[in-house]
Amino acid sequence: MTGNRDEAGQGADWLDEVFGRLKTLTDQAIAVVAAAEAPTDVAEAEKRARAVGVLARTAKAVAALKSRPARKTPDEDEMSEDDRDVSDAELAGLQAEFFARVDHLVGGFERKSLAAGLGREPAARGEDPGAEGRDQGGAEVERGSVLVA
């Protein structure tokens, strides 16, 4: 792990050095354009405007190098401070929200099935109510036990 930090540190140092060089070169290019004589015709004005636009994009790109945070390595992602255990109250709240959404979706499917003339009742489809885990009542009991656990 320390090897990754060393490489990341070297990369950051190198990027700082590159930033300094690019900033100096950009400043020199801006000085050249600023010191040039004022344009006397439309063609010269257009050429100068293009140069100013290029320098503006260049300055923005160079500044972005400095403001960009260092990239994390996969090892650092695993050690993130954002990793935390969820409290029982938070877990219960998340589970309740999840099951409410599932129930909402199931209700929508049931409404659409009824509108299409398909019954939800196992007898309407000629099935055994407990066949192949299709016992809808059992799903509620199972779901309730998850919330308590």
Side-chain angles (χ1 to χ4, degrees), residues 7-111:
E7 290 174 13
Q10 290 173 353
D13 292 343
W14 176 79
L15 188 58
D16 287 341
E17 182 182 326
V18 169
F19 170 76
R21 293 163 107 187
L22 290 174
K23 184 177 179 297
T24 301
L25 292 170
T26 304
D27 288 341
Q28 291 171 353
I30 290 171
V32 168
V33 171
E37 293 183 23
T40 57
D41 64 1
V42 174
E44 288 179 13
E46 186 176 323
K47 184 177 177 182
R48 186 167 186 167
R50 280 195 307 270
V52 169
V54 168
L55 289 172
R57 287 190 301 276
T58 301
K60 185 176 178 181
V62 170
L65 286 175
K66 191 64 171 175
S67 65
R68 183 174 299 149
R71 293 184 180 178
K72 290 184 177 180
T73 64
D75 291 334
E76 290 173 338
D77 286 343
E78 292 175 2
M79 298 183 299
S80 174
E81 292 178 14
D82 295 337
D83 292 344
R84 59 185 172 87
D85 290 329
V86 177
S87 71
D88 291 340
E90 287 176 305
L91 182 60
L94 291 171
Q95 286 177 336
E97 181 181 348
F98 171 75
F99 289 131
R101 290 181 183 194
V102 168
D103 290 340
H104 175 75
L105 290 172
V106 168
F109 289 132
E110 288 175 352
R111 284 190 302 276

